[in-house]
């Protein structure tokens, strides 16, 4: 397939590598020279002109930081995209921008999919991402073979915006369980309960979650995770804050009571704003909670 790929950052670049390795003809574009240069060893076209990257492509994929970047990109490429082509946004953005973009595209006879991912940079490199997809059956049929190349699990969640809805619901649970798991480790420290013993009990008991058994925030315990690598991301606390902000914005629009989601947002906000928290993995919230417990 002829594919344009816009946004060649931490996630976009390894996703492009997998598409090229599978034989697709990819043209990449990014606003940052360094992002484009990071793919100079790959057999693909790199264009410093966004219109060249989007015109005459069967599919255009974007992997951008936020909704403002997404709307800017879509408005600029819309006039040059081929009728019947498919635009797939893999970024995590707010649902209202996603739906606005889908309408703009569909009005121009272009297929639209929102397809945010879970699995982080490691999953993008290994091709083990989970794709949660919103859009019509016909659009999904175009994107699905590409999702299978870049990921392990693909779930068609529903109509436009359903992929973003699934993503923010999942990450609200993730933020809350990471904080709860970290609070339990801090409490265990105060109760002189060995952290390994807490892990052994909880990871096989009713308090278990992905935050405990797969991505344990306590170093040296459980499978290897960012806590074993000085909390280098992984999935940064600032990205978690971004996703919790998106879920709370959506909850506010719909009047959904999400009190623990709100509390998780406030806890990550404080962490990110207090020094270098934002550049650390989101599981580093344990360090913060444990040091507060010591200081009290
Ligand atoms: P990143 O900042 O590394 O990459 C984003 C890229 O988009 C950058 O290279 C930037 O220069 C480029 N960009 C910004 N505006 C642009 C524009 N107008 N035109 C073209 N390029 C533009 O971010 P990332 O970590 O790759 O994340 C991308 C998206 O994936 C985000 O929405 C993020 O929330 C989501 N996500 C990230 C992770 C992760 O672990 N990093 C996991 C799941 C989802």
């Amino acid at each position: 397939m002829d594919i344009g790929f816009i946004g060649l950052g931490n996630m976009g670049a390894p996703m492009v590598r997998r598409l090229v390795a599978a034989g697709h003809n990819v043209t990449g574009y990014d606003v940052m020279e360094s992002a484009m240069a990071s793919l100079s060893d790959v057999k693909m076209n790199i264009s410093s002109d966004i219109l060249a990257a989007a015109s005459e492509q069967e599919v255009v994929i974007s992997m951008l930081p936020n909704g403002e970047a997404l709307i800017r990109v879509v408005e600029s490429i819309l006039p040059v995209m081929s009728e019947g082509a498919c635009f797939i946004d893999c970024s995590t953005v707010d649902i209202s921008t996603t739906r606005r973009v889908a309408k703009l595209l569909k009005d121009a006879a272009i297929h639209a999919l929102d397809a945010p991912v879970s699995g982080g940079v490691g999953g993008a490199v290994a091709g083990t991402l989970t794709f949660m997809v919103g859009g019509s059956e016909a659009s999904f049929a175009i994107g699905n073979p590409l999702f299978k190349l870049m990921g392990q699990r693909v779930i068609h969640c529903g109509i436009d915006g359903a992929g973003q809805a699934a993503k923010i619901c999942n990450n609200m649970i993730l933020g809350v369980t990471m904080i709860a798991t970290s609070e339990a480790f801090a409490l265990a420290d105060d109760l002189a309960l060995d952290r390994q013993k807490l892990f052994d009990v909880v990871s096989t008991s009713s308090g278990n979650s992905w935050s405990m058994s797969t991505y344990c925030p306590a170093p040296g315990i459980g499978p290897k995770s960012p806590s074993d690598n000085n909390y280098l991301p992984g999935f940064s606390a600032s990205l978690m804050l971004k996703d919790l902000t998106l879920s709370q914005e959506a909850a506010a629009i719909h009047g959904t009571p999400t009190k623990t989601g709100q509390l998780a947002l406030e806890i990550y906000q404080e962490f990110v704003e207090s020094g270098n928290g934002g550049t650390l993995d989101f599981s580093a919230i344990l360090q913060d909670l444990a040091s507060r417990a010591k200081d009290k």
Side-chain angles (χ1 to χ4, degrees), residues 32-230:
M32 276 173 57
E33 278 293 329
S34 57
M36 295 196 281
S38 75
L39 288 168
S40 57
D41 61 313
V42 180
K43 276 207 165 105
M44 62 181 285
N45 311 305
I46 300 276
S47 174
S48 54
D49 175 7
I50 191 170
L51 300 183
S55 63
E56 290 173 33
Q57 306 290 6
E58 294 163 85
V59 170
V60 175
I61 302 176
S62 62
M63 195 46 163
L64 298 162
N66 51 44
E68 291 88 71
L70 174 64
I71 193 82
R72 217 172 309 132
V73 162
V74 169
E75 282 176 347
S76 64
I77 66 173
L78 205 52
V80 301
M81 278 192 73
S82 310
E83 224 175 83
C86 184
F87 181 87
I88 305 173
D89 178 46
C90 294
S91 333
T92 306
V93 303
D94 60 286
I95 294 173
S96 48
T97 300
T98 289
R99 294 198 169 135
R100 191 174 144 204
V101 157
K103 181 165 182 341
L104 280 175
L105 290 159
K106 290 201 284 194
D107 286 351
I110 295 164
H111 290 274
L113 291 172
D114 51 292
V117 301
S118 165
V121 177
V125 172
T128 56
L129 294 170
T130 294
F131 283 85
M132 21 209 134
V133 188
S136 71
E137 286 291 347
S139 306
F140 181 72
I142 299 171
N144 198 22
L146 302 177
F147 300 141
K148 285 183 177 157
L149 287 176
M150 297 182 283
Q152 210 163 37
R153 293 257 303 144
V154 186
I155 298 140
H156 187 192
C157 298
I159 56 164
D160 304 327
Q164 296 295 350
K167 171 76 185 177
I168 59 174
C169 287
N170 180 74
N171 279 22
M172 184 174 74
I173 296 172
L174 179 61
V176 169
T177 58
M178 182 54 79
I179 291 168
T181 302
S182 298
E183 284 181 349
F185 275 115
L187 181 60
D189 292 347
D190 280 353
L191 299 174
L193 170 64
D194 183 66
R195 285 182 169 190
Q196 181 66 53
K197 299 294 178 198
L198 179 70
F199 176 86
D200 293 345
V201 170
V202 174
S203 62
T204 54
S205 299
S206 46
N208 192 26
S209 70
W210 187 88
S211 296
M212 176 61 90
S213 57
T214 306
Y215 208 88
C216 184
I221 295 174
K224 280 264 172 288
S225 71
S227 65
D228 301 309
N229 191 24
N230 295 319

Side-chain angles (χ1 to χ4, degrees), residues 9-11 29-32 63-65 92 117 120 235 239 242:
N10 293 324
M11 295 291 290
Y29 169 80
D30 195 290
V31 281
M32 276 173 57
M63 195 46 163
L64 298 162
T92 306
V117 301
F235 185 61
L239 279 178
K242 171 191 165 182

Side-chain angles (χ1 to χ4, degrees), residues 273-288:
E273 285 169 4
S274 69
N276 66 353
T279 59
L280 294 176
D281 189 78
F282 80 113
S283 61
I285 197 77
L286 170 58
Q287 275 188 322
D288 189 60

